[in-house]
Amino acid sequence: MKIIAGNWKMNGTRAALDEMITALGNVDTKNRMILCVPFTMLRPVNGAVKIGAQDISSHDHGAYTGEISGGMLTDAGASYVIVGHSERRAYHNESNADVCAKATAALQAGLVPIICVGETMDEKNADRTMEIIEHGVRESVPQSGGDVIVAYEPRWAIGAGLTPSDDEIASAHTLIANTLADMGRGGTPVLYGASVKGNNAAQIMAIDHVDGVLVGGASLKPDDFIPIITSVK
Ligand code: PEP
């Protein structure tokens, strides 16, 4: 069983989500399907597809105009939330400490945080990939609390049609799995994300310690997303 999570970013409509949920409802799979959608599209969904958000406030209520708390996300029907996505880190200056606070808030609200870590192109070129990943995990993943998911997303590859080599993905995922074990979180699922498509998903998910994928662009249309889900048993 793999975890296949879609990240719709700031795309889609409620009608498009209805269509996607109906289409995924007809897919014969044991894989766990998650759709992380904009706040306005969150709603309770019965069935195989689980719904997630893409951000969360680290506060639980109060004078934080424009913020959305974990309790609000669960009330709206979410069971997952992405935290620390590359675009949040880049455009909103989110640090590992910010991400950890958001992941902690998610756990307190009963949500499963999908915690993203990964290196930029500059960090990769400076040979800092492993260091950035290990620090990302140690500093972004809460020490205690319920289940989490970690997503390795090489930031230079997101939306760029680029993919690291299988060996690079294997090294990153092995490091993440070992770091999580050292933190007492052995067995935490580790997803790979960045430019996953129907034609590379099965190969990526065959790599050691790749427990599923986080998919951006190719999660928006059933014709692109379903082949990723059905590419693995
Ligand atoms: C993402 O935004 O998490 C992502 C993986 O995007 P894409 O698949 O479009 O590279």
Side-chain angles (χ1 to χ4, degrees):
M1 194 277 292
K2 299 286 188 184
I3 299 171
I4 318 287
N7 172 17
W8 276 24
K9 312 194 186 196
M10 198 172 71
N11 293 296
T13 58
R14 288 184 294 166
L17 179 61
D18 287 346
E19 252 176 60
M20 180 65 87
I21 289 168
T22 303
L24 296 187
N26 294 323
V27 175
D28 182 17
T29 182
K30 292 197 166 45
N31 296 323
R32 196 188 314 168
M33 299 180 280
I34 305 167
L35 288 172
C36 296
V37 296
F39 291 134
T40 53
M41 295 175 211
L42 293 173
R43 65 173 176 82
V45 174
N46 291 321
V49 182
K50 304 294 174 210
I51 294 292
Q54 302 170 8
D55 188 31
I56 179 174
S57 173
S58 56
H59 305 283
D60 65 2
H61 71 280
Y64 301 101
T65 302
E67 296 285 289
I68 305 284
S69 72
M72 293 170 183
L73 296 180
T74 51
D75 187 46
S79 33
Y80 294 84
V81 59
I82 295 173
V83 293
H85 188 275
S86 170
E87 288 144 21
R88 301 288 317 174
R89 291 178 185 263
Y91 307 143
H92 301 271
N93 275 325
E94 290 188 7
S95 64
N96 287 336
D98 297 329
V99 175
C100 190
K102 289 185 173 199
T104 300
L107 291 172
Q108 281 166 353
L111 293 155
V112 177
I114 301 173
I115 303 166
C116 302
V117 299
E119 76 287 0
T120 63
M121 185 56 101
D122 283 351
E123 289 161 347
K124 176 180 168 60
N125 289 339
D127 242 345
R128 296 183 59 212
T129 297
M130 292 294 141
E131 168 204 337
I132 295 295
I133 292 172
E134 184 171 350
H135 277 268
V137 173
R138 288 198 186 278
E139 295 166 14
S140 306
V141 176
Q143 292 286 343
S144 58
D147 291 347
V148 306
I149 294 173
V150 170
Y152 169 55
E153 296 209 301
R155 296 173 59 180
W156 51 273
I158 294 176
L162 300 171
T163 320
S165 69
D166 288 3
D167 283 351
E168 286 173 321
I169 296 176
S171 304
H173 278 248
T174 301
L175 173 63
I176 293 170
N178 290 343
T179 305
L180 287 164
D182 189 54
M183 293 169 70
R185 284 193 175 276
T188 294
V190 183
L191 312 186
Y192 172 79
S195 300
V196 175
K197 309 267 182 277
N199 61 9
N200 61 7
Q203 182 179 337
I204 290 170
M205 284 189 271
I207 297 170
D208 268 1
H209 300 297
V210 177
D211 302 304
V213 286
L214 178 56
V215 185
S219 69
L220 292 171
K221 294 195 184 124
D223 284 354
D224 295 327
F225 198 37
I226 290 171
I228 296 174
I229 298 164
T230 55
S231 70
V232 287
K233 290 277 174 250

